[in-house]
Amino acid sequence: MEIIREAGQMQRWAETARLAGEKIACVPTMGYLHEGHLSLMREGRRRASRLVVSVFVNPTQFGPSEDLNSYPRDFDRDCALMEAIPVDTVFAPQPADLYPPGFQTWVEAAEITRGLCGAYRPGHFRAVATVVAKLFNIIKPHVALFGEKDYQQLRTIEQMVRDLNFDVEIVAMPIVREADGLAMSSRNAYLSPEQRASALAISRALRAAGQKLAQGVRRAQELREAARVVLDAAGELNVQYLEVVDAQTLEPIGLIEAPVLVAIAAWAGRTRLIDNCVLVPPPAPTP
Ligand code: AMP
């Protein structure tokens, strides 16, 4: 497994691979890998002849009061996990290489980034779209894989690819969970045992919303209420948002007639956790 730290060298690697007829899959990550990341890599391995994983804690996507400095990092452990996939090439640049002095060009998807996390993390998705655009120009992938865990991020990237004609296929991968339902996240490492127990209410709340829909309820407000009851019963959990939105546009909806996203962001102590599920209403019975 080759480790490349410089953007120009990564571009030359990608160009050589393309000229040799290879198909390149790319999985962008911030490292501290878990089974969620590895599931994306295995699918990338299956879909292409060359697999590149980027490990880069992108400083621009963290707000001034967010956890950039404490974000968990363990590059040696990450490399051992990637070696086992096996990953062909790891791209692990330095921030100064991707953001040299004078950097001033940003990619911004508009409507799709307004609500949900975008409402609480100003500039976050602009930074995400920009770094992913840069990674696409550096790694030159044919296919790139993203997790539905970060659903608004996935939709933002899909929007960017469509709007800016990136010649990259975006593959969405399902959320990988712990056995008890907690969505895997690098940030779970921050949780105390008590906070982790409280955090379980998030996935339970999503299931409660899903059960409402299965019972025939179509008012988004009722799904939200069912989820809220579960969240309120959890100990150390501060809900930032709990929303039911159109799964495609991410706009709030009243009546569920098409696939919806139920999305939750909550604080367990100082750790911000997000989770979601897509619910598809069964077709209305024909009279
Ligand atoms: P991150 O390192 O958190 O930036 O995540 C890198 C990629 O892994 C993103 O596309 C995430 O959506 C995806 N990812 C993170 N957690 C999970 C998970 N539990 N299941 C599936 N994909 C995930």
Side-chain angles (χ1 to χ4, degrees):
M1 189 173 75
E2 189 177 0
I3 297 170
I4 295 180
R5 296 199 175 268
E6 203 259 315
Q9 192 190 343
M10 185 71 238
Q11 281 173 317
R12 287 191 293 279
W13 181 98
E15 201 49 42
T16 305
R18 277 186 167 250
L19 285 172
E22 305 286 3
K23 181 170 179 185
I24 303 173
C26 155
V27 177
T29 82
M30 298 205 298
Y32 211 70
L33 304 175
H34 52 68
E35 196 52 42
H37 298 113
L38 302 182
S39 72
L40 272 56
M41 293 178 204
R42 287 189 201 103
E43 183 62 17
R45 182 80 273 172
R46 214 180 58 73
R47 285 175 179 258
S49 56
R50 286 285 176 267
L51 174 60
V52 181
V53 175
S54 61
V55 176
F56 181 60
V57 182
N58 178 34
T60 58
Q61 72 189 62
F62 288 77
S65 61
E66 292 184 356
D67 56 344
L68 172 61
N69 292 326
S70 58
Y71 196 85
R73 293 164 168 90
D74 188 341
F75 191 64
D76 290 343
R77 179 174 161 278
D78 287 349
C79 282
L81 291 167
M82 288 186 283
E83 195 106 50
I85 292 292
V87 170
D88 295 303
T89 300
V90 179
F91 179 52
Q94 292 300 315
D97 186 24
L98 289 202
Y99 302 106
F103 181 90
Q104 54 180 287
T105 305
W106 299 90
V107 179
E108 186 156 10
E111 283 83 3
I112 203 80
T113 68
R114 292 248 159 81
L116 304 178
C117 292
Y120 297 91
R121 304 186 72 187
H124 172 72
F125 288 112
R126 180 177 101 132
V128 167
T130 303
V131 79
V132 171
K134 285 168 70 68
L135 290 171
F136 285 177
N137 283 332
I138 294 167
I139 297 168
K140 306 178 195 260
H142 297 84
V143 51
L145 299 99
F146 292 87
E148 290 181 343
K149 162 79 169 36
D150 301 277
Y151 194 90
Q152 192 174 19
Q153 166 174 290
L154 164 68
R155 286 288 304 108
T156 300
I157 302 303
E158 286 174 341
Q159 191 70 42
M160 174 188 86
V161 162
R162 191 176 327 141
D163 290 347
L164 298 185
N165 302 87
F166 276 97
D167 195 8
V168 181
E169 180 193 358
I170 302 299
V171 175
M173 294 292 292
I175 300 176
V176 176
R177 298 177 179 282
E178 303 285 356
D180 58 11
L182 182 68
M184 289 195 185
S185 165
S186 305
R187 290 189 169 97
N188 290 350
Y190 296 142
L191 299 173
S192 70
E194 295 74 24
Q195 288 167 344
R196 197 193 173 291
S198 302
L200 275 184
I202 300 173
S203 53
R204 251 188 272 128
L206 294 170
R207 284 201 298 279
Q211 280 159 10
K212 279 281 166 201
L213 188 82
Q215 287 161 11
V217 172
R218 292 294 175 270
R219 285 182 56 234
Q221 177 63 16
E222 282 185 60
L223 267 66
R224 242 193 335 262
E225 280 160 13
R228 171 62 70 169
V229 169
V230 177
L231 292 170
D232 286 348
E236 274 185 78
L237 210 56
N238 243 318
V239 179
Q240 187 175 58
Y241 66 74
L242 156 58
E243 293 196 41
V244 180
V245 297
D246 182 279
Q248 194 58 28
T249 64
L250 308 188
E251 296 288 338
I253 49 122
L255 210 58
I256 301 170
E257 290 163 328
V260 289
L261 179 79
V262 185
I264 296 174
W267 293 91
R270 294 158 67 94
T271 304
R272 186 174 176 279
L273 300 171
I274 56 170
D275 198 353
N276 69 77
C277 66
V278 174
L279 300 177
V280 182
T286 42

